[in-house]
Every structure is written in structure tokens, then in C-alpha cells.
Amino acid sequence: MLLIPCPWCGPRDEAEFHYGGQAHVAYPDDPAALSDEEWARYLFFRDNPKGRFAERWSHAAGCRRWFTLTRDTSTNTFTNTSAAPEVTA
């Protein structure tokens, strides 16, 4: 069992969270201009490093907020947690 550190609720059981994938993946400026191969690469290809890796998590069973977490993929140790920026319309 992992204890994931939510920036708002504190450490909670991993069952309360949803994994959102690699952090800091920018949406394409002009998605309509992408070829099928480029679109597939954006959607499905992600880094898979051994060591520190920035990830997006949602505390689905708690505060329901998104945040970025740095996890060491070889030890599952969490080192850095930051709140997601607020989205304004």
C-alpha cells in the first residue's frame, strides 16, 4: 500500500486517488494540423524513466483536486508535491 501525500488532505491511501499520467505534457497548439502518427504520439507515448518522474494525480475520494507529484519509480518514494494551478475561464 502506498500513502500518497495530497497537498490539501495530507497522506492518504492510494485507493483514494486516480493516476492522471505524466505531468507537464503540453497540448498541441494546432491539433487539427497533426498527422495521425503525430496525434498518436501525443496521446499514447510517454516517458518511462527509472528514477524521479513528475506525475498528475487526482484525490478522487477526498478533496477531488488535481496535483503534481514527483515519484521515484524504482522505490515509489514521493519527493515533491505541488498543487495544480487554478483554471480560470
Side-chain angles (χ1 to χ4, degrees), residues 48-53 55 71-78:
N48 188 19
K50 181 177 181 180
R52 292 172 47 108
F53 187 59
E55 303 171 329
R71 178 176 64 95
D72 187 310
T73 59
S74 60
T75 64
N76 280 334
T77 305
F78 302 104

Side-chain angles (χ1 to χ4, degrees), residues 16-48:
E16 294 187 14
F17 296 87
H18 287 289
Y19 180 71
Q22 181 177 350
H24 314 299
V25 176
Y27 190 77
D29 291 331
D30 186 7
L34 297 179
S35 68
D36 288 344
E37 182 179 340
E38 292 168 325
W39 187 244
R41 187 163 294 282
Y42 165 73
L43 290 176
F44 303 114
F45 286 64
R46 295 293 181 256
D47 296 336
N48 188 19

